[in-house]
Amino acid sequence: MYHNTKMVSPFPFHSIIILFRNFCLCECIIGSCDNQVPDMDEVSDSGDEEDWEECNPEPMATTATCLFCEQGFNTVDDMYCHCNVNHNFDITSVVQRFHLDDFSYIKMINYIRKEKPSVDFFGNEGCDGTPWCSESYLKPVIEDDAALQFDIEDISVSNGDHIQSNPEAVGRTGDNKNTTPGSEEEVTVPRVKYHALISRLEAAERNVAQLQEQLCESQQKMDKMRTCVRDIVLPCDEDAGHAASSSSSSVQRRPACEDLGYFSAYAHHGIHEEMLKDKVRTLSYRRAVMSNAAVFRDAVVLDVGCGTGILSMFAARAGARRVIAVDMSDVVYQAMDIVRENKLEHIITVIRGKVEEVSLPVDKVDIIISEWMGYFLLFESMLDSVLYARDKWLTPNGHMFPNLCSISLAAVGNVSKHQEHIGFWNDVYDFKMSCMVSIVEKEAVIETVGKDDIMSNSAVVKELDLKTCSVTELDFSSEFLLTACRKGVVTAITGFFDIRFDKDLQEPVSFSTSAADTPTHWKQTLFYLREPIPVCQGEVIRGNVQVLKDPKDPRSLLVTLSVNGRTFNYTMD
Ligand SMILES: C[S@@+](CC[C@H](N)C(=O)[O-])C[C@H]1O[C@@H](n2cnc3c(N)ncnc32)[C@H](O)[C@@H]1O
Ligand SMILES: *[C@@H]1O[C@H](CO)[C@@H](O)[C@H](O)[C@H]1NC(C)=O
Ligand SMILES: *[C@@H]1O[C@H](CO)[C@@H](O)[C@H](O)[C@H]1NC(C)=O
């Protein structure tokens, strides 16, 4: 795991921008942006378009109601003919006079239907005030109004002549001018053309289906965005209240807005590259799986937070019968490709979703494998999700990979580092900025500590057996004793964790993120002491550490350290 302060802000503005983008897209689909909508007119680039009618043998049975009286007609052509004769309204000249296009034509029709203007209005030569410019006139006034389906392009083609088209004809051309509108007369086209048209129609249909899918997706994202915006406007007090009052604050109750930011951070490839390139981490998992292949043979495995799917593929290689890989981040789409690329799709099923929300294709699993560890082990609280999965799906004698972990502390002494981090603010280009110290010192720092900077033994302050522990245990407080191994000045306390895969295993595997071992991408966590503590060799430092989820953001931690009676509060966010 990895978690960078900068990548996950409590307000996922990044996600919101994405959501707004989708919002615009969704408007396009709805229709204000015509280039998104497949243009059926493109089908008609030559004659012979009557195939369209073959595919749609039954034109809509609507009647066209006159624009200026109640009379109905079988076709729009008949209706306009009536308008011309009885109301002195010639649609052809109206279209030209008002320079109507598809949109303004529709608006005009709805305007007439709604506002019932006098027909005289349309006779006024040079009238440029078109009262139907409001978008509201795009909304049909009469249901299934046949007049709206009339294609005014045919008028421009027919150049002032009388009406040539009927509403059902798509792209009819001059050759067929004399076809009686709406007639059931058969037409013949060359087979090649027929197939070409059919495949264009099919493509258009696919396009529509795809757009509908996108629309649906956008609507879902809009819903999320609404929740999100609500949470920003009304900060997640309710949830925070729960978390504070109940010790079992878990990721399930975490507001959706925070998790959007969390999961979008994991959608970026860089974070996965860093984790995969961490050989201590990745090779430990591989060794744990491959050297205990006997446990994996024929097992059903759940990979919680599969990322790129690497752990699932280890499990499949080790002989798992079935692996279910779950991740909420968009990286799962890559995981799906990766699984296929390695021809493991018959074993590995990749599911996108939060492990708290997905349903699995199996009732129980034999093994849960997950790389959930955050800085200082518990930062980002992904373990809550793993324990949730365990309680829901792991068989009673199933395995957790890993199964044991511990958090430890040690004393660090490096006066020049302390000076760089804290002392710096007391003299910045000859100015004092000491108010910065109280902010800077409160933040735990993720940094690699040099081996030589370690000044004491290390003390385990928390052990977790993943097979049995509960979410409540993840908030804890613990006493510790550290013995200085040399004379010097303690400038910080370092925190790190150890991971073990050993329960009921023939070949135990473990790794450590301590400063004494090969550095990992977790580095170490440093809690700087405002006032360093001088110690003699063999002197004992007494302390207490308390680790709590931040009630305001359950993925962050509040750490309180007391060292030789002095207390310091730290945040990790
Ligand atoms: C530290 S990464 C590990 C990725 C991969 N297993 C590996 O080892 O390279 C953790 C992954 O878990 C996912 N994750 C965290 N909490 C989750 C949850 N509650 N449901 C689904 N996925 C989750 C994150 O999106 C992220 O991709
Ligand atoms: C302290 O940290 C600095 C800077 O990282 C490093 O160069 C130095 O070797 C460390 N140790 C001591 C004893 O100063
Ligand atoms: C540390 O935080 C606790 C509450 O979490 C508070 O009661 C205490 O006063 C704080 N101590 C310092 C030194 O800021």
Side-chain angles (χ1 to χ4, degrees):
M1 104 40 298
Y2 176 89
H3 201 73
N4 188 321
T5 330
K6 303 224 170 49
M7 301 195 75
V8 179
S9 77
F11 291 169
F13 288 118
H14 172 67
S15 334
I16 289 179
I17 288 163
I18 292 173
L19 293 174
F20 273 114
R21 263 225 315 267
N22 282 323
F23 173 61
C24 301
L25 168 67
C26 131
E27 284 230 302
C28 284
I29 296 166
I30 288 165
S32 60
C33 142
D34 41 6
N35 59 358
Q36 293 281 332
V37 181
D39 188 356
M40 294 304 180
D41 283 342
E42 280 176 18
V43 175
S44 61
D45 52 0
S46 63
D48 313 320
E49 281 77 13
E50 277 66 21
D51 291 321
W52 189 271
E53 287 174 22
E54 286 189 8
C55 308
N56 300 271
E58 287 203 283
M60 264 190 286
T62 44
T63 51
T65 310
C66 172
L67 298 179
F68 302 98
C69 68
E70 301 295 300
Q71 207 171 327
F73 298 87
N74 286 338
T75 68
V76 182
D77 289 2
D78 291 350
M79 186 270 284
Y80 279 135
C81 180
H82 155 90
C83 285
N84 199 1
V85 173
N86 293 285
H87 302 291
N88 198 20
F89 176 92
D90 177 8
I91 186 64
T92 309
S93 48
V94 167
V95 164
Q96 282 166 355
R97 184 169 317 136
F98 293 96
H99 308 292
L100 297 184
D101 60 12
D102 290 340
F103 276 114
S104 47
Y105 168 80
I106 289 171
K107 289 191 205 170
M108 180 192 76
I109 297 298
N110 289 320
Y111 168 78
I112 297 173
R113 300 278 194 215
K114 188 158 179 220
E115 317 293 350
K116 307 196 189 324
S118 148
V119 70
D120 298 339
F121 173 83
F122 298 92
N124 292 337
E125 208 57 58
C127 171
D128 50 17
T130 47
W132 50 80
C133 59
S134 159
E135 299 287 301
S136 69
Y137 292 118
L138 281 172
K139 193 171 163 231
V141 174
I142 298 182
E143 216 179 300
D144 293 332
D145 191 347
L148 296 179
Q149 295 162 33
F150 179 75
D151 193 345
I152 62 161
E153 262 173 41
D154 295 312
I155 295 173
S156 356
V157 175
S158 67
N159 221 356
D161 274 332
H162 255 303
I163 310 303
Q164 306 296 338
S165 78
N166 78 44
E168 290 80 34
V170 175
R172 187 184 300 277
T173 60
D175 288 355
N176 302 295
K177 253 184 200 170
N178 300 323
T179 311
T180 321
S183 91
E184 291 182 351
E185 187 182 310
E186 300 219 341
V187 291
T188 40
V189 287
R191 184 168 292 277
V192 191
K193 277 223 161 127
Y194 174 75
H195 287 301
L197 282 164
I198 293 292
S199 59
R200 291 179 78 159
L201 172 63
E202 282 168 356
E205 279 173 349
R206 273 197 303 277
N207 206 350
V208 169
Q210 218 170 30
L211 287 166
Q212 267 165 349
E213 212 168 277
Q214 281 174 12
L215 173 63
C216 178
E217 219 170 86
S218 305
Q219 276 167 341
Q220 283 170 357
K221 288 192 177 157
M222 283 267 291
D223 285 346
K224 272 197 194 155
M225 184 184 71
R226 262 185 228 117
T227 322
C228 219
V229 169
R230 202 183 53 221
D231 286 339
I232 290 169
V233 179
L234 315 165
C236 320
D237 277 346
E238 220 180 289
D239 298 78
H242 278 303
S245 59
S246 99
S247 44
S248 66
S249 65
S250 93
V251 280
Q252 279 166 273
R253 269 191 256 109
R254 186 168 294 145
C257 59
E258 283 161 20
D259 272 353
L260 272 180
Y262 174 72
F263 290 115
S264 68
Y266 271 116
H268 191 268
H269 60 87
I271 207 166
H272 293 280
E273 180 176 344
E274 184 176 20
M275 293 189 292
L276 293 170
K277 283 184 175 168
D278 181 340
K279 289 197 172 168
V280 171
R281 180 199 89 111
T282 312
L283 291 179
S284 296
Y285 273 86
R286 188 172 78 174
R287 210 151 17 95
V289 174
M290 298 315 285
S291 55
N292 291 289
V295 175
F296 280 83
R297 190 151 311 126
D298 290 328
V300 177
V301 179
L302 172 62
D303 178 355
V304 177
C306 65
T308 52
I310 185 74
L311 306 183
S312 292
M313 295 193 292
F314 290 157
R317 280 264 160 90
R321 175 159 56 91
R322 179 155 201 191
V323 182
I324 297 146
V326 178
D327 204 301
M328 179 60 195
S329 166
D330 284 351
V331 71
V332 277
Y333 300 118
Q334 275 78 61
M336 292 169 189
D337 285 348
I338 290 167
V339 164
R340 272 195 294 273
E341 190 176 355
N342 291 282
K343 305 203 167 34
L344 289 171
E345 64 268 41
H346 60 294
I347 300 174
I348 303 173
T349 308
V350 181
I351 300 175
R352 177 168 192 257
K354 269 172 95 162
V355 78
E356 291 85 353
E357 290 165 5
V358 294
S359 48
L360 298 191
V362 296
D363 290 335
K364 290 287 163 197
V365 302
D366 306 307
I367 298 173
I368 289 181
I369 190 166
S370 181
E371 197 280 83
W372 50 266
M373 293 84 78
Y375 294 133
F376 199 48
L377 191 68
L378 297 178
F379 184 65
E380 86 184 81
S381 296
M382 185 178 158
L383 180 55
D384 295 30
S385 306
V386 176
L387 299 183
Y388 174 91
R390 176 200 66 189
D391 294 343
K392 192 162 177 185
W393 291 297
L394 190 66
T395 55
N397 43 19
H399 285 87
M400 297 295 286
F401 270 75
N403 63 292
L404 205 67
C405 39
S406 60
I407 301 176
S408 300
L409 300 179
V412 169
N414 186 325
V415 174
S416 58
K417 269 240 156 119
H418 187 276
Q419 173 58 26
E420 253 170 53
H421 186 68
I422 304 279
F424 167 78
W425 298 103
N426 293 321
D427 178 5
V428 183
Y429 303 97
D430 286 338
F431 295 101
K432 290 180 186 161
M433 299 191 179
S434 54
C435 65
M436 297 297 283
V437 172
S438 56
I439 296 167
V440 168
E441 68 177 2
K442 281 200 184 83
E443 221 173 74
V445 176
I446 309 301
E447 204 172 79
T448 303
V449 177
K451 278 191 183 61
D452 298 339
D453 294 352
I454 298 296
M455 279 193 65
S456 75
N457 63 326
S458 47
V460 174
V461 293
K462 184 70 183 174
E463 281 209 290
L464 289 169
D465 179 342
L466 296 198
K467 189 73 192 289
T468 54
C469 73
S470 68
V471 168
T472 50
E473 285 171 56
L474 308 184
D475 284 347
F476 66 93
S477 164
S478 170
E479 308 282 324
F480 62 88
L481 294 178
L482 298 172
T483 307
C485 52
R486 62 173 159 88
K487 182 178 186 296
V489 180
V490 177
T491 53
I493 301 292
T494 171
F496 59 90
F497 59 88
D498 289 56
I499 294 297
R500 278 155 61 181
F501 307 81
D502 60 2
K503 189 148 192 265
D504 306 324
L505 294 185
Q506 304 253 307
E507 301 286 340
V509 171
S510 65
F511 70 93
S512 174
T513 64
S514 104
D517 289 271
T518 313
T520 67
H521 77 287
W522 286 287
K523 303 178 181 172
Q524 282 82 41
T525 304
L526 274 176
F527 304 100
Y528 278 94
L529 304 176
R530 171 180 268 213
E531 281 126 35
I533 303 168
V535 291
C536 304
Q537 183 172 3
E539 190 174 329
V540 173
I541 302 157
R542 286 170 190 282
N544 180 280
V545 63
Q546 188 188 47
V547 179
L548 301 174
K549 288 193 179 80
D550 183 347
K552 292 199 207 91
D553 172 11
R555 290 210 187 266
S556 333
L557 297 179
L558 298 177
V559 177
T560 304
L561 262 184
S562 296
V563 183
N564 285 352
R566 268 180 291 173
T567 301
F568 308 86
N569 284 338
Y570 301 88
T571 56
M572 286 188 74
D573 48 20

